[in-house]
Amino acid sequence: MKKTFLVLLTLMCVCCCASFADDGSNLWLHKATGDKAAVTLHAKSTPTTDIAIKELTDGWNGGAVNLAITKQKGMKRDAFSISRKRGFVTITSPSDIGLLYGAYRLLQMQTLGTVSEDFELTDSPFHDIRLLNHWDNLDGNSERGYAGKSIFWHVQGFPETLGQNDVADMRNNPLRNTTYARANASLGINGAVLNNVNASPKMLTTEVLQMTQQYADVLRPYGIKVYLAVNFSSPVIVGGLKTADPYDKEVQRWWKQKAKEIYNLIPDFGGFLVKANSEGQPGPGDYGRTHAEGANLLASAIRPYGGIVMWRAFINNPTDPDRAKQARIEFEHLDGQFLDNVIIQVKNGPIDFQPREPFNALFDALKLTAEMPEFQITQEYLGQSNHLAYLGTMWEEFFHEVMPYANYKANQLRARYNAIAGVANTGTDADWTGHPLAQSNWYAFGRMAWNPDLDAETIANEWVSLTFPKLDAKQHQTLVAMLMRSREAVVDYEMPIGLHHQFGDSHYAPGAWDNRPIRRDWLPVFYNQADAEGIGFDRTKATGTDATSQYHPDFGNVMENLSTCPDKYLLWFHHVPWTHRCQSGRTVWEELCYHYQNGVNEARQLQRQWNSLEGAIDPDIFRDVQIRLMTQTRDAEWWKDGCLLYFQSLHGMPFPDFLDPPVHTLEECKHSRLNVGLYRSPTHEELNKVR
Amino acid sequence: MKKTFLVLLTLMCVCCCASFADDGSNLWLHKATGDKAAVTLHAKSTPTTDIAIKELTDGWNGGAVNLAITKQKGMKRDAFSISRKRGFVTITSPSDIGLLYGAYRLLQMQTLGTVSEDFELTDSPFHDIRLLNHWDNLDGNSERGYAGKSIFWHVQGFPETLGQNDVADMRNNPLRNTTYARANASLGINGAVLNNVNASPKMLTTEVLQMTQQYADVLRPYGIKVYLAVNFSSPVIVGGLKTADPYDKEVQRWWKQKAKEIYNLIPDFGGFLVKANSEGQPGPGDYGRTHAEGANLLASAIRPYGGIVMWRAFINNPTDPDRAKQARIEFEHLDGQFLDNVIIQVKNGPIDFQPREPFNALFDALKLTAEMPEFQITQEYLGQSNHLAYLGTMWEEFFHEVMPYANYKANQLRARYNAIAGVANTGTDADWTGHPLAQSNWYAFGRMAWNPDLDAETIANEWVSLTFPKLDAKQHQTLVAMLMRSREAVVDYEMPIGLHHQFGDSHYAPGAWDNRPIRRDWLPVFYNQADAEGIGFDRTKATGTDATSQYHPDFGNVMENLSTCPDKYLLWFHHVPWTHRCQSGRTVWEELCYHYQNGVNEARQLQRQWNSLEGAIDPDIFRDVQIRLMTQTRDAEWWKDGCLLYFQSLHGMPFPDFLDPPVHTLEECKHSRLNVGLYRSPTHEELNKVR
């Protein structure tokens, strides 16, 4: 039947026929050498070792390789060692998946040119559970996805027509394209939540569970477990019960029965991700129960099978005037009440994936409950797939802050389950991520999930070398430099010096002026608090919402004190007059102008740098990125003009001379729609047309 | 009857009620002081002396003034002297209009602050006939007018309904608003062609002549004669004859009869302007007759009354492959065949009012025939009323070239009639010119028509002082600096280093790539001759069209020689490789990039400078200009991106680093329409909305 998974089929064809063509579909994966390496397995053969052998046979050209399972005390199951002596390479691990990770690492080192004659290395992941969250819906759409359609679901006419035909299709057309699995395994990503946190109750129907089984079977040899996001009301909607109250025996029985059904199909099913009582989703609060009571309901159902529940701490119904404080307020008092297979999944920042936020104070609060950071790889708030924004620098900044102040490592190591998640930026576009360079964010997430101590530049260097191995040293450095400055450029032209949530509806275009009669804490004006006298959201203890006290004093006091608060967080923590002197020496008004202009300048510089790579990059990818970078500069001008004209309309101060004068009126910025039409990568023909 | 001249009525009301409000409608004219000066006339009172007395009485505050008619040998009729001794001012002239000119000069000096205790000056115009050409149609439209509708004609439903009702309306509502007449008289402009050179034959109907009479009566006291542009086929279309052949007796009789009718209505009627055998207009060529035979037909009809014929040398049906040579080719051999009341009206450049052209070689050719330059005050090719382009600098450049090389002055003085014309930029917009700062071009034309030796900066200083007398010294200098650089900015972002006619259809947006299957010499690609190897139109004797030989050798040889041809005319006279070194030291490609970027930078600088005047300029005018300057920068980016991307598509060389990378694709530039919606000045309410 053609009506489902057609997209997957198409994808398969493209990828099978031309899996090593330079259309970006091969991601950072090595290319086959044409030779066949001699690989010997000193262990029982498994589907996973088969893959390791095949990858090495096709890709390695540095002599014979031995693979061996070795149990070593204290060594994590998926850790590995690689050694090379007298031309012989040996990879060892306690597990077959560790051998596969070692194989990918060796192949990466080959491309990176870091294989020396004799060497020995051991690597072990910091996080045990390293997850992609796919916000994909059964109907094929991907929420906050900017790279085409869902790579997993494409049930035509869903939900009305879901039935056995779809399941049959699924069985006939499993996810044969292994690039997704290889890419994840090459980074050590070992789990995927296959659907949106705004979860359809249909996910727990037998039909969809049978589809899920297909993915589990395909992904299992690559060490990737499947997880599902579930709707808390599933017992009512799918099960036909009258309630989903955690204290109802029928409800408890329903979840236990459902767990049994799932694990019967997928013995290594990873578990559930739940968004409850947030943005309209049902949850235990509907029955007067706590998050802990809700989470434990599901956790106890799957605990016998080794499953986990990831319970999101993203709460969008604040009781406190400052939404930034809500996660900690809502979860701190529940510490210790969760079962040990529950993990609280916490967004890196306290608001919502903004281009820059300080870390979420909840990381500083829970001592008895496992926590996992949730990063957003998809660029919901950073220009989506139109803008270049390498997020390695953002996540490095997060770890840099969260490690010492929130005692991140100790807390993670204390927990039974130690995990991290990233909201994926994958879609059906040929290059997987819409913006070809956004592949770097998938890569960087995987690398940092494995080792949060890695710095962003090291990762950028790796990714550039693996993805564009033919660049010369200067070209390589140009591209790395582009990546390294790109996120700060977005911060500069969208929301510098601590501004946040200045978006219009789409989370793409500027909306600093937005003051519609809706919930105040959804509005940019609520977050900028700009008026004739000043700007910024006062979160100080002294005069504001006292968000600073949620942090460890070593961090909170620095933020509380205007003289020590760094400019980059100024307007996050302080409301100041327009004439306030920043640490830069400029007034706040000048500083805003300086950053908005710098963002535009940086966007132009990205264009220049990319243009200098013409001829060294595949022409289609070159043109695709060239056009996206053009759009980025144009959008940067729009952000600059819109935000600065709005602020100027409040205080009337002149623009400093260094500013490019506006090329839009405020009214235009308010009413015009930006070009967000590049979510699907342009075809070769389209690229030639717009060239 | 309301159907005609409603616009004039409206205009009148606005101007009468608020003639001194700061809406730009008062142009550069002085404001009433509130005092009443003592003015004594030592001559016969005339309507003209009445005006002089009223202007001085209302506006002068420097003591008593005597006006006296004095015949002085060798003094031109409209020359004047002003002297001040012991507080008494005396203005003398051989004519009443000279007295009025002197009065306006004295009032200007008062605002300029150049009236000293004792002084004496005499001033005499260089050109005797100083004309505005209004390209206005009877239906109320103004060809190449960007300031609203025609200020003269607004015959609803024309031509079908033209009849006695319209004439009656006209009689009841003559042009009472005297600002137009005062502004012209204040500069010495002494004639106006009231209609488009693409002339309706209806202009010579009795009905329209009676309307024209009304304008003549209103304008006469200000020394302004009316002229009409006429259609060469009028004897056929209006007169019902079978031919318009100059050799036909009936035709000759018809013109003589028509002349008699006209002069019966308007005894001082100035004469005819004719566009013949050009762009589809009829002419003597239709009957195998020469321009001279055609012009003399009309000239002999009005010669008895003192009328003149201005015969345009703009020929758009080239026989030579190089249209730039056509005017000289077509008229040179006719030298001496024209009656002495015929003047050949020659556009300043050989193509068509481009942002920069060398002077028309026809000025170098005619020795026995009177010639008059035709300037275009309306900015058909310089951003229309959206862009700031002060044209004083362009006309100074013309006179600088044409004076020595074409022996301009001697030729003018030898002719019986010595004249100059400018295509007006006036319309029904409150500020007359659409762009408020475009008033400076009307002013500059008038001043240079009077005295072509005046430099553009002196005139700019005058205009700024008269129009914005409240600016302080620094603000004044800022605005003068804006004017002085503005035309070169347009040249830079539209057509630098000798490029010309790179427009799309509207003569507004870029069209460098335009290669449609139409007449080659209408196409930008014909004029840029750009290909993979080089760019430019070869007009050298050595290898090109030999246009250089049309010039005096002192000019032509400099242009012919690549090593001496100035960069600003490089691509006008030469086709060169992209890698050719300009006199600047840059390659042609770099030089183009440099100028296009400089144009954008200059546009931005205009915005900055104007913004610095906020508070010193009437708010409505300030906002109006602010928005137009924003549009100018945006359009400059469009020109830069479109032209450079097109040229790059031919040769593939990279952009230099100093260039702001494009924010449009070439395809967008080809297909998008620019905002040319500001031809009507925005209202106060609209300005507030877009602010």
Side-chain angles (χ1 to χ4, degrees):
Chain A
M1 250 295 282
K2 278 141 215 96
K3 69 174 179 161
T4 51
F5 299 95
L6 254 182
V7 172
L8 281 179
L9 259 175
T10 312
L11 207 74
M12 271 177 261
C13 295
V14 169
C15 296
C16 297
C17 306
S19 62
F20 294 120
D22 272 340
D23 61 354
S25 63
N26 195 48
L27 296 162
W28 50 85
L29 294 166
H30 60 278
K31 298 189 171 49
T33 61
D35 300 335
K36 294 287 172 192
V39 182
T40 312
L41 176 68
H42 303 276
K44 189 166 72 80
S45 169
T46 70
T48 303
T49 58
D50 288 351
I51 295 166
I53 291 167
K54 179 170 169 31
E55 294 283 16
L56 290 167
T57 304
D58 290 348
W60 174 247
N61 62 4
V65 183
N66 293 306
L67 303 177
I69 302 281
T70 56
K71 303 286 171 193
Q72 207 174 321
K73 207 177 154 77
M75 198 169 185
K76 284 195 178 185
R77 192 180 159 275
D78 46 5
F80 59 84
S81 293
I82 311 176
S83 67
R84 192 176 196 228
K85 274 182 195 134
R86 294 181 302 278
F88 282 88
V89 175
T90 305
I91 303 175
T92 61
S93 170
S95 69
D96 54 356
I97 186 65
L99 292 180
L100 181 59
Y101 291 163
Y104 282 120
R105 180 65 58 83
L106 180 66
L107 292 164
Q108 288 160 4
M109 291 173 67
Q110 177 174 273
T111 308
L112 295 173
T114 55
V115 177
S116 46
E117 197 56 39
D118 285 0
F119 74 90
E120 190 164 352
L121 72 81
T122 297
D123 204 5
S124 177
F126 174 78
H127 297 101
D128 295 326
I129 300 173
R130 306 171 293 273
L131 287 175
L132 289 184
N133 289 3
H134 294 276
W135 286 359
D136 291 7
N137 297 321
L138 286 176
D139 67 0
N141 287 314
S142 181
E143 185 167 335
R144 310 305 177 186
Y146 311 106
K149 292 287 196 174
S150 166
I151 57 172
F152 293 107
W153 312 106
H154 201 193
V155 181
Q156 206 173 42
F158 175 86
E160 291 74 11
T161 65
L162 176 64
Q164 280 306 316
N165 274 344
D166 297 298
V167 180
D169 280 352
M170 180 59 202
R171 199 161 287 148
N172 292 332
N173 308 308
L175 183 63
R176 279 190 227 280
N177 166 26
T178 55
T179 303
Y180 171 81
R182 293 171 69 220
N184 279 334
S186 79
L187 302 170
I189 290 172
N190 63 4
V193 182
L194 302 189
N195 68 305
N196 191 354
V197 288
N198 294 316
S200 164
K202 293 256 179 182
M203 292 310 299
L204 290 182
T205 58
T206 300
E207 292 84 353
V208 175
L209 290 176
Q210 286 172 340
M211 293 183 192
T212 306
Q213 182 189 20
Q214 314 300 316
Y215 288 116
D217 291 346
V218 170
L219 299 174
R220 186 175 295 110
Y222 294 87
I224 301 167
K225 286 186 180 181
V226 300
Y227 298 72
L228 292 177
V230 295
N231 187 299
F232 196 78
S233 290
S234 296
V236 176
I237 302 169
V238 178
L241 303 187
K242 290 198 176 122
T243 178
D245 182 351
Y247 277 43
D248 184 278
K249 295 290 175 201
E250 285 301 310
V251 170
Q252 294 167 7
R253 192 166 16 247
W254 188 88
W255 281 108
K256 282 198 164 69
Q257 188 54 41
K258 189 53 74 175
K260 189 174 172 187
E261 180 188 357
I262 294 171
Y263 281 93
N264 193 39
L265 290 167
I266 309 165
D268 58 350
F269 179 72
F272 296 140
L273 171 63
V274 190
K275 174 177 179 178
N277 292 128
S278 167
E279 295 185 323
Q281 291 297 321
D286 305 345
Y287 309 97
R289 314 301 181 192
T290 68
H291 287 296
E293 289 163 334
N296 292 346
L297 167 69
L298 277 61
S300 62
I302 59 176
R303 198 169 185 277
Y305 309 98
I308 61 169
V309 168
M310 297 166 286
W311 194 266
R312 290 178 93 231
F314 177 62
I315 306 301
N316 205 349
N317 308 306
T319 53
D320 191 88
D322 183 2
R323 179 175 138 194
K325 293 165 62 187
Q326 193 65 21
R328 178 153 177 161
I329 288 171
E330 199 148 335
F331 280 84
E332 189 172 15
H333 69 281
L334 299 174
D335 195 14
Q337 299 180 24
F338 293 91
L339 289 180
D340 68 356
N341 66 327
V342 174
I343 316 180
I344 308 302
Q345 182 164 318
V346 186
K347 293 186 181 187
N348 59 294
I351 295 284
D352 189 16
F353 298 134
Q354 299 300 292
R356 168 164 281 133
E357 300 189 43
F359 70 93
N360 191 322
L362 185 56
F363 287 106
D364 232 357
L366 302 183
K367 309 299 177 196
L368 304 167
T369 307
E371 281 180 286
M372 61 190 289
E374 177 179 322
F375 293 159
Q376 198 182 42
I377 307 169
T378 190
Q379 294 165 226
E380 176 178 357
Y381 292 102
L382 288 103
Q384 300 172 3
S385 61
N386 283 351
H387 295 196
L388 172 61
Y390 169 62
L391 302 178
T393 47
M394 179 158 84
W395 300 327
E396 179 181 291
E397 191 171 81
F398 167 78
F399 284 120
H400 177 80
E401 280 175 5
V402 85
M403 294 277 192
Y405 300 121
N407 207 14
Y408 180 81
K409 283 195 176 175
N411 288 337
Q412 284 284 13
L413 295 176
R414 189 162 45 227
R416 175 167 169 200
Y417 293 101
N418 153 19
I420 187 167
V423 181
N425 62 348
T426 49
T428 50
D429 277 0
D431 67 2
W432 296 90
T433 55
H435 198 309
L437 303 185
Q439 295 179 359
S440 64
N441 290 327
W442 182 1
Y443 183 89
F445 168 75
R447 294 292 285 139
M448 284 189 171
W450 182 277
N451 180 3
D453 288 328
L454 279 175
D455 66 275
E457 188 161 8
T458 298
I459 297 171
N461 270 297
E462 285 178 14
W463 179 78
V464 170
S465 290
L466 296 174
T467 308
F468 301 102
K470 290 181 187 156
L471 296 185
D472 67 25
K474 189 177 167 213
Q475 292 161 342
H476 173 100
Q477 274 315 314
T478 298
L479 187 46
V480 170
M482 288 176 67
L483 295 177
M484 288 303 292
R485 292 192 341 276
S486 58
R487 176 251 183 164
E488 199 66 34
V490 177
V491 172
D492 271 355
Y493 64 67
E494 285 191 351
M495 280 163 267
I497 60 170
L499 281 177
H500 47 289
H501 230 312
Q502 299 299 290
F503 293 94
D505 268 346
S506 60
H507 294 181
Y508 183 91
W513 44 82
D514 194 352
N515 196 14
R516 285 169 296 164
I518 56 173
R519 255 177 61 183
R520 302 307 294 163
D521 68 324
W522 284 357
L523 290 171
V525 294
F526 175 78
Y527 291 100
N528 64 45
Q529 294 281 323
D531 60 19
E533 274 70 48
I535 186 170
F537 197 105
D538 188 348
R539 293 196 167 94
T540 63
K541 181 185 183 64
T543 53
T545 65
D546 195 18
T548 54
S549 295
Q550 284 193 337
Y551 289 99
H552 188 289
D554 288 351
F555 186 83
N557 290 345
V558 169
M559 300 299 144
E560 172 79 16
N561 188 332
L562 190 52
S563 69
T564 55
C565 179
D567 285 348
K568 71 176 181 178
Y569 289 136
L570 180 65
L571 304 182
W572 185 284
F573 286 109
H574 295 274
H575 185 83
V576 291
W578 292 104
T579 52
H580 169 76
R581 287 275 158 207
C582 296
Q583 297 190 343
S584 68
R586 287 181 283 264
T587 67
V588 164
W589 172 233
E590 291 166 346
E591 187 74 6
L592 280 172
C593 292
Y594 176 83
H595 282 280
Y596 278 107
Q597 182 63 49
N598 196 55
V600 173
N601 294 348
E602 286 282 15
R604 290 183 184 140
Q605 187 61 16
L606 291 175
Q607 289 186 276
R608 281 190 198 98
Q609 290 176 301
W610 184 254
N611 283 342
S612 78
L613 302 181
E614 186 161 16
I617 305 272
D618 170 83
D620 278 3
I621 292 178
F622 178 81
R623 280 178 222 148
D624 183 352
V625 173
Q626 188 180 46
I627 292 162
R628 290 180 204 262
L629 289 171
M630 188 198 78
T631 303
Q632 185 166 4
T633 297
R634 212 190 278 190
D635 295 346
E637 288 183 346
W638 210 304
W639 271 91
K640 169 181 82 67
D641 289 355
C643 295
L644 291 180
L645 284 168
Y646 170 65
F647 297 141
Q648 188 184 52
S649 76
L650 301 175
H651 61 56
M653 287 190 280
F655 289 127
D657 271 352
F658 61 71
L659 196 81
D660 284 354
V663 289
H664 312 91
T665 64
L666 178 54
E667 209 57 24
E668 283 174 325
C669 293
K670 284 182 180 175
H671 290 120
S672 294
R673 297 269 140 219
L674 289 173
N675 168 25
V676 286
L678 283 178
Y679 292 161
R680 180 181 57 83
S681 291
T683 62
H684 183 88
E685 287 67 32
E686 287 169 335
L687 282 169
N688 277 334
K689 249 175 59 184
V690 297
R691 169 63 167 169
Chain B
M1 252 294 284
K2 279 142 215 99
K3 69 173 179 160
T4 53
F5 299 96
L6 254 181
V7 172
L8 281 177
L9 259 173
T10 313
L11 206 75
M12 273 179 259
C13 296
V14 169
C15 297
C16 298
C17 306
S19 62
F20 294 122
D22 273 340
D23 61 354
S25 63
N26 195 48
L27 296 163
W28 50 85
L29 294 166
H30 59 278
K31 299 191 168 50
T33 61
D35 300 333
K36 293 289 173 190
V39 182
T40 312
L41 175 68
H42 302 277
K44 187 166 75 77
S45 170
T46 69
T48 302
T49 59
D50 288 351
I51 295 165
I53 291 167
K54 178 166 169 35
E55 294 283 18
L56 289 166
T57 305
D58 291 348
W60 173 247
N61 63 3
V65 182
N66 292 306
L67 303 177
I69 301 283
T70 56
K71 303 288 173 192
Q72 208 175 320
K73 207 177 156 72
M75 197 171 186
K76 283 195 177 185
R77 191 180 161 275
D78 47 5
F80 59 85
S81 293
I82 312 176
S83 66
R84 191 172 194 230
K85 279 186 191 126
R86 295 179 301 279
F88 281 90
V89 174
T90 306
I91 302 175
T92 62
S93 170
S95 69
D96 55 356
I97 187 63
L99 291 179
L100 181 57
Y101 291 163
Y104 281 121
R105 181 66 59 82
L106 180 66
L107 291 164
Q108 288 160 5
M109 291 172 67
Q110 177 175 272
T111 308
L112 295 173
T114 55
V115 177
S116 48
E117 198 56 39
D118 285 1
F119 74 92
E120 190 163 352
L121 72 82
T122 298
D123 203 4
S124 178
F126 175 78
H127 297 102
D128 294 326
I129 301 174
R130 305 171 292 275
L131 286 176
L132 289 183
N133 289 4
H134 295 275
W135 286 359
D136 291 6
N137 298 323
L138 286 175
D139 67 0
N141 287 312
S142 183
E143 186 168 337
R144 310 304 178 185
Y146 312 106
K149 292 287 196 173
S150 166
I151 58 172
F152 294 106
W153 313 106
H154 199 190
V155 181
Q156 205 173 41
F158 175 85
E160 292 74 11
T161 65
L162 177 64
Q164 282 304 317
N165 275 343
D166 298 298
V167 181
D169 280 352
M170 181 60 203
R171 197 160 286 145
N172 294 332
N173 307 308
L175 183 63
R176 279 187 228 281
N177 165 27
T178 56
T179 303
Y180 172 81
R182 293 170 69 221
N184 279 334
S186 79
L187 302 170
I189 289 171
N190 64 4
V193 182
L194 302 188
N195 67 305
N196 192 354
V197 290
N198 293 317
S200 165
K202 294 256 180 182
M203 291 310 299
L204 291 182
T205 59
T206 301
E207 292 83 353
V208 175
L209 291 175
Q210 286 171 340
M211 293 183 192
T212 306
Q213 182 189 20
Q214 314 299 316
Y215 288 116
D217 291 346
V218 172
L219 299 174
R220 185 175 295 108
Y222 295 88
I224 301 166
K225 286 186 180 179
V226 300
Y227 298 72
L228 292 177
V230 296
N231 187 299
F232 196 78
S233 292
S234 295
V236 177
I237 301 169
V238 178
L241 304 188
K242 289 196 177 126
T243 179
D245 183 351
Y247 277 44
D248 185 279
K249 296 291 176 198
E250 285 300 310
V251 171
Q252 294 167 8
R253 193 165 17 247
W254 188 87
W255 280 108
K256 284 198 162 65
Q257 188 55 40
K258 189 52 74 176
K260 189 174 172 187
E261 181 189 355
I262 293 171
Y263 281 94
N264 194 38
L265 291 165
I266 309 165
D268 58 351
F269 179 74
F272 296 140
L273 171 62
V274 191
K275 175 178 179 179
N277 293 127
S278 165
E279 295 185 323
Q281 292 296 322
D286 304 346
Y287 309 97
R289 314 301 181 191
T290 68
H291 287 295
E293 290 163 333
N296 291 347
L297 166 70
L298 279 60
S300 61
I302 59 176
R303 198 170 185 278
Y305 309 98
I308 62 170
V309 169
M310 297 166 286
W311 195 266
R312 290 178 93 232
F314 176 62
I315 307 301
N316 205 349
N317 307 308
T319 54
D320 191 87
D322 183 3
R323 178 174 139 194
K325 293 164 63 185
Q326 193 65 22
R328 179 153 176 161
I329 289 171
E330 199 148 338
F331 281 85
E332 188 172 16
H333 69 280
L334 299 173
D335 196 16
Q337 299 181 24
F338 293 93
L339 290 178
D340 68 355
N341 65 328
V342 175
I343 316 179
I344 309 303
Q345 182 164 318
V346 187
K347 294 186 181 186
N348 58 295
I351 296 284
D352 189 16
F353 298 135
Q354 299 301 292
R356 169 165 280 132
E357 300 188 42
F359 70 92
N360 191 321
L362 185 56
F363 287 107
D364 232 359
L366 302 183
K367 306 301 176 193
L368 305 165
T369 307
E371 282 180 286
M372 60 190 290
E374 178 179 321
F375 292 160
Q376 197 182 41
I377 307 170
T378 190
Q379 295 164 227
E380 177 179 354
Y381 293 102
L382 288 104
Q384 301 174 1
S385 61
N386 283 352
H387 295 195
L388 172 60
Y390 169 62
L391 302 178
T393 47
M394 179 159 82
W395 300 327
E396 179 182 291
E397 189 172 82
F398 167 79
F399 284 121
H400 176 81
E401 281 175 5
V402 85
M403 295 276 192
Y405 300 120
N407 207 14
Y408 181 82
K409 281 195 178 177
N411 289 338
Q412 284 284 11
L413 295 175
R414 190 164 43 227
R416 175 168 170 198
Y417 294 101
N418 152 19
I420 187 168
V423 181
N425 61 349
T426 49
T428 51
D429 278 0
D431 67 4
W432 296 91
T433 55
H435 197 310
L437 303 186
Q439 295 179 358
S440 63
N441 291 328
W442 182 359
Y443 183 90
F445 169 75
R447 295 291 285 139
M448 285 189 171
W450 181 275
N451 180 4
D453 289 328
L454 280 174
D455 65 276
E457 188 160 11
T458 298
I459 296 171
N461 270 296
E462 285 178 15
W463 179 79
V464 170
S465 291
L466 297 173
T467 308
F468 301 102
K470 290 181 188 156
L471 297 185
D472 68 24
K474 187 177 167 213
Q475 292 160 342
H476 173 100
Q477 274 316 314
T478 296
L479 187 46
V480 170
M482 288 176 67
L483 295 177
M484 288 303 291
R485 291 192 342 275
S486 57
R487 176 249 183 168
E488 200 65 35
V490 178
V491 171
D492 272 354
Y493 64 67
E494 284 191 351
M495 280 161 268
I497 61 170
L499 281 178
H500 47 290
H501 231 311
Q502 299 299 291
F503 293 95
D505 267 346
S506 60
H507 294 181
Y508 182 92
W513 45 82
D514 194 351
N515 197 14
R516 285 170 296 165
I518 56 172
R519 256 178 60 184
R520 302 306 296 162
D521 67 322
W522 283 356
L523 290 171
V525 295
F526 175 78
Y527 292 100
N528 64 45
Q529 295 281 323
D531 59 19
E533 274 71 47
I535 185 170
F537 197 105
D538 188 348
R539 293 194 168 94
T540 64
K541 182 186 184 62
T543 54
T545 66
D546 194 18
T548 54
S549 294
Q550 285 193 335
Y551 289 100
H552 188 288
D554 289 352
F555 186 84
N557 289 345
V558 169
M559 300 300 144
E560 172 78 17
N561 188 332
L562 190 52
S563 69
T564 55
C565 180
D567 284 348
K568 71 177 181 177
Y569 289 137
L570 180 64
L571 305 182
W572 185 283
F573 286 109
H574 295 274
H575 184 83
V576 291
W578 292 105
T579 52
H580 169 77
R581 288 274 158 206
C582 296
Q583 298 189 346
S584 68
R586 287 181 283 264
T587 67
V588 164
W589 172 234
E590 290 166 347
E591 187 74 7
L592 279 172
C593 292
Y594 176 85
H595 282 279
Y596 278 106
Q597 181 64 47
N598 196 55
V600 172
N601 294 348
E602 286 283 16
R604 290 182 184 141
Q605 186 61 13
L606 291 174
Q607 289 186 277
R608 282 189 197 99
Q609 291 176 302
W610 185 253
N611 284 341
S612 78
L613 301 181
E614 185 159 17
I617 306 274
D618 169 84
D620 278 4
I621 292 178
F622 177 81
R623 278 178 226 150
D624 184 350
V625 173
Q626 188 179 46
I627 292 162
R628 289 180 204 265
L629 290 172
M630 187 198 80
T631 303
Q632 185 165 6
T633 297
R634 214 190 277 192
D635 294 347
E637 288 181 346
W638 210 305
W639 272 92
K640 169 182 82 66
D641 289 354
C643 295
L644 291 181
L645 284 168
Y646 170 66
F647 297 141
Q648 188 184 52
S649 76
L650 302 175
H651 60 55
M653 286 190 280
F655 290 128
D657 271 352
F658 60 71
L659 196 81
D660 285 354
V663 290
H664 312 90
T665 63
L666 178 54
E667 209 57 24
E668 283 175 325
C669 293
K670 284 182 180 176
H671 290 121
S672 295
R673 296 271 139 218
L674 288 173
N675 169 24
V676 288
L678 282 178
Y679 293 161
R680 179 181 57 82
S681 291
T683 64
H684 183 89
E685 287 68 32
E686 287 169 334
L687 282 169
N688 278 334
K689 248 175 59 184
V690 295
R691 171 62 165 166

